[in-house]
Amino acid sequence: MATTKPAFKAASLTIPQLLQRSAWYPLLDETARERVLDEIREVDVAAGAALCRRGDTPLHWYGTLEGLLKWSITSSDGRSVTFGGLSVGSWFGEGTLLRGAPRSADVIALRPSRVAQLPLETFEWLHRTQRGFDHFLLQQLNERLHWFMGNYAAHRLLDADGQVARALAGLFHPWLYPGSELHLQTSQEEIANLSGVSRQRCNAALNRLKEAGFLRIEYGGITVIDLEGLRRFIEE
């Protein structure tokens, strides 16, 4: 008897849906909400293409509508460091805009992606005039700093299993990536990229995490079935 492959629909949002689900947008006054809706735009990013490059002048704040991107730096000799994934529902790029300096990393699409772009001028106006938006930025930067500190420690203290588990758990961060679903429509190669380990080591680690009961490896992606267990695993 033939096995039916499960069908999963990739997470996908319109700009109004992304805004309504974001922690900062409902905090704005009516004038600010209207200006954001009027000035925000959508851009498509092909798999393997760059949304922005290291050294670029920052012109936008970004929100992920569909797909998956990675935040990384690649050296002149081809070595790469990945800071993390940018999944549906995430907003990113605020640190560079606030610093007013060229971008310090690349943002690359791991699969075809759609991204909302809010112009720098609108971002700065919200920063100046909307107190709720300022509170959001403070929380956002604090959560991101805490996550990066954890990543720094993880690459020195965790084995491959722990690094892969942390990369997966990171895609469900309740503040930074609020739109994630338990089924990740992602390839094992993409997870290896996010984990900073080779594809072979990543595949072996995923199988061990599967045997431990944290996830299922399925056609079209991975489903996390014990998120809290996965989080405890990387904290032990």
Side-chain angles (χ1 to χ4, degrees):
M1 185 168 124
T3 301
T4 301
K5 296 177 179 178
F8 294 96
K9 180 176 176 58
S12 177
L13 301 175
T14 64
I15 285 178
Q17 287 171 337
L18 174 65
L19 292 175
Q20 290 298 334
R21 297 182 188 192
S22 300
W24 59 273
Y25 185 75
L27 303 177
L28 306 181
D29 61 35
E30 184 176 354
T31 298
R33 290 196 298 270
E34 290 177 355
R35 176 168 175 176
V36 167
L37 271 173
D38 186 55
E39 298 182 2
I40 198 168
R41 295 292 184 269
E42 179 179 319
V43 62
D44 293 327
V45 190
L51 172 66
C52 49
R53 287 287 187 185
R54 185 179 183 186
D56 288 352
T57 299
L59 299 175
H60 299 94
W61 189 42
Y62 300 108
T64 308
L65 295 163
E66 183 178 355
L68 180 66
L69 304 101
K70 70 171 181 176
W71 193 356
S72 64
I73 291 178
T74 302
S75 67
S76 57
D77 61 5
R79 290 178 298 167
S80 179
V81 175
T82 297
F83 299 118
L86 300 162
S87 53
V88 174
S90 62
W91 289 91
F92 57 96
E94 64 280 342
T96 304
L97 294 180
L98 292 171
R99 287 177 61 234
R103 296 197 177 279
S104 57
D106 303 322
V107 177
I108 308 295
L110 292 175
R111 74 170 78 108
S113 300
R114 295 167 41 244
V115 178
Q117 297 186 143
L118 189 70
L120 169 61
E121 295 78 6
T122 313
F123 176 90
E124 291 179 332
W125 178 76
L126 292 174
H127 179 41
R128 290 194 310 269
T129 65
Q130 300 294 306
R131 188 171 182 181
F133 186 70
D134 255 4
H135 288 170
F136 167 84
L137 289 179
L138 182 62
Q139 180 78 30
Q140 177 94 335
L141 291 168
N142 183 57
E143 294 288 349
R144 204 181 296 286
L145 174 61
H146 185 266
W147 180 253
F148 281 159
M149 289 172 63
N151 267 357
Y152 182 84
H155 285 292
R156 284 155 178 78
L157 300 177
L158 297 180
D159 58 14
D161 291 10
Q163 291 185 47
V164 171
R166 181 173 173 78
L168 287 172
L171 294 175
F172 299 98
H173 191 292
W175 183 273
L176 299 176
Y177 311 118
S180 295
E181 300 176 348
L182 290 177
H183 177 78
L184 298 170
Q185 190 182 41
T186 183
S187 69
Q188 295 186 25
E189 182 176 3
E190 290 171 349
I191 296 169
N193 275 322
L194 297 179
S195 307
V197 301
S198 69
R199 183 172 180 177
Q200 292 75 15
R201 294 178 70 202
C202 179
N203 291 352
L206 286 171
N207 281 315
R208 287 189 288 269
L209 294 172
K210 172 187 173 183
E211 291 168 3
F214 298 131
L215 54 86
R216 290 194 303 267
I217 301 174
E218 301 166 323
Y219 176 77
I222 290 169
T223 296
V224 175
I225 57 178
D226 185 2
L227 180 56
E228 290 309 311
L230 196 65
R231 288 168 173 161
R232 287 194 300 271
F233 175 78
I234 62 178
E235 292 170 357
E236 293 176 351

